[in-house]
Amino acid sequence: QVQLVESGGGLVQAGGSLRLSCAASGSTFGVNTMGWYRQAAGQQRELVASISTGGSTNYADSVKGRFTISRDNAVNTVYLQMNSLRPEDTTVYFCYFSKYTLVSGPQVYWGQGTQVTVSS
């Protein structure tokens, strides 16, 4: 099992910045991917950004150039630096942790979600 604790959401004006953090604990050993999804009301969950243990990153087109994902493997924590925020970035952001093992196959764990609100 993996437990995820998120922090850093809040209210910011358009053009401002926020930094989300997500700390993983438990069975975090091995190669894995951490990242962030977001889900607006009535819409499907959308991948925002992800980063592998080795540092490979992936971003949604809508956040490229504005958001930066990073991680500190020593403390099993992933960060999402969000700059130039827009009102359309307003929604709940969910941290996730995924890994694959021969014994258990693919596993995905989710954080509780953190609200980001960008005022115009």
Side-chain angles (χ1 to χ4, degrees):
Q1 291 291 320
V2 174
Q3 296 77 42
L4 301 172
V5 178
E6 303 162 347
S7 60
L11 172 64
V12 66
Q13 288 189 330
S17 298
L18 284 174
R19 189 192 195 208
L20 306 182
S21 300
C22 175
S25 62
S27 302
T28 61
F29 51 86
V31 175
N32 60 74
T33 298
M34 297 185 71
W36 299 86
Y37 274 76
R38 63 187 181 186
Q39 185 170 22
Q43 297 187 17
Q44 287 189 327
R45 197 167 285 190
E46 169 195 30
L47 176 66
V48 177
S50 65
I51 185 168
S52 68
T53 311
S56 296
T57 58
N58 185 39
Y59 294 93
D61 288 342
S62 58
V63 307
K64 284 180 180 177
R66 300 189 298 124
F67 292 9
T68 302
I69 191 169
S70 60
R71 64 186 291 167
D72 185 340
N73 291 330
V75 293
N76 295 313
T77 300
V78 64
Y79 307 96
L80 186 68
Q81 178 66 43
M82 304 185 295
N83 298 329
S84 302
L85 282 161
R86 305 167 180 168
E88 54 263 38
D89 294 317
T90 296
T91 189
V92 180
Y93 287 70
F94 295 89
C95 173
Y96 78 96
F97 176 102
S98 68
K99 68 176 182 179
Y100 177 88
T101 66
L102 291 176
V103 174
S104 303
Q107 303 164 62
V108 183
Y109 302 90
W110 295 95
Q112 77 279 7
T114 186
Q115 177 71 43
V116 170
T117 302
V118 184
S119 63
S120 57

